């Protein structure tokens, strides 16, 4: 189950033993899904996007990219549930950079940290928007 902003995962420095190991495995799950580069993200920036059930297993499967809430929902869902091969198909480099300052507050701490550690330009655009 993904971490949510309301129930953020504790930092690993606060934990020891099995809980720290579980958190490390959770982070590794997201790290292994990352693309090599943000430039690999060539997903749609417009139109209606249909997500497969292995990504959108618990809710909406169709997202209209003209609708800001649906666009943000699609990105949040793909970041949490998408597999490595899904990320380039459903995420768009330019749109991710544009959405990141708000999107980073909607994804769990683990997802946010993994993405910002791997791609410092995401953290930079968040700071620039603040």
């Amino acid at each position: 189950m993904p971490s949510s902003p309301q129930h953020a995962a504790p930092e690993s420095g606060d934990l020891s033993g099995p809980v720290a190991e579980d958190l490390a495995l959770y982070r590794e799950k997201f790290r292994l899904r990352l693309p090599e580069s943000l430039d690999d993200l060539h997903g749609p920036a417009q139109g209606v996007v249909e997500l497969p059930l292995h990504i959108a297993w618990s809710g909406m499967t169709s997202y209209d990219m003209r609708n800001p809430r649906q666009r943000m929902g699609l990105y949040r869902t793909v970041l949490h549930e998408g597999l490595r091969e899904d990320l380039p198909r459903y995420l768009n480099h330019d749109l991710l950079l544009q959405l990141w300052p708000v999107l980073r507050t909607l994804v769990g701490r683990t997802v946010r940290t993994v993405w910002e550690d791997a791609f410092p330009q995401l953290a930079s655009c968040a700071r620039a928007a603040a």
Side-chain angles (χ1 to χ4, degrees):
M1 181 164 106
S3 173
S4 68
Q6 297 84 11
H7 304 292
E11 289 299 313
S12 59
D14 300 340
L15 305 171
S16 63
V19 176
E21 290 174 25
D22 287 348
L23 182 57
L25 287 172
Y26 189 62
R27 284 189 177 138
E28 186 67 3
K29 173 181 98 167
F30 289 109
R31 193 191 66 70
L32 291 172
R33 294 177 181 182
L34 292 173
E36 294 294 319
S37 165
L38 291 182
D39 292 332
D40 295 341
L41 304 177
H42 298 290
Q46 56 189 4
V48 175
V49 177
E50 299 285 339
L51 291 179
L53 288 177
H54 75 269
I55 299 175
W57 53 268
S58 69
M60 287 178 53
T61 58
S62 181
Y63 296 83
D64 185 343
M65 298 300 279
R66 292 175 300 180
N67 182 310
R69 291 183 82 141
Q70 288 188 26
R71 190 171 51 235
M72 197 69 73
L74 172 110
Y75 272 65
R76 182 174 186 259
T77 300
V78 172
L79 287 171
H80 277 281
E81 305 296 338
L83 303 174
R84 185 178 180 101
E85 61 270 14
D86 296 321
L87 301 178
R89 184 177 304 138
Y90 296 108
L91 300 179
N92 177 282
H93 169 265
D94 295 332
L95 195 50
L96 179 64
L97 289 173
Q98 176 189 337
L99 296 175
W100 192 255
V102 173
L103 183 61
R104 70 183 303 276
T105 68
L106 300 176
V107 297
R109 178 184 295 169
T110 301
V111 171
R112 178 176 57 247
T113 301
V114 165
W115 278 80
E116 288 183 349
D117 286 352
F119 306 112
Q121 62 266 48
L122 290 173
S124 294
C125 74
R127 283 191 302 273

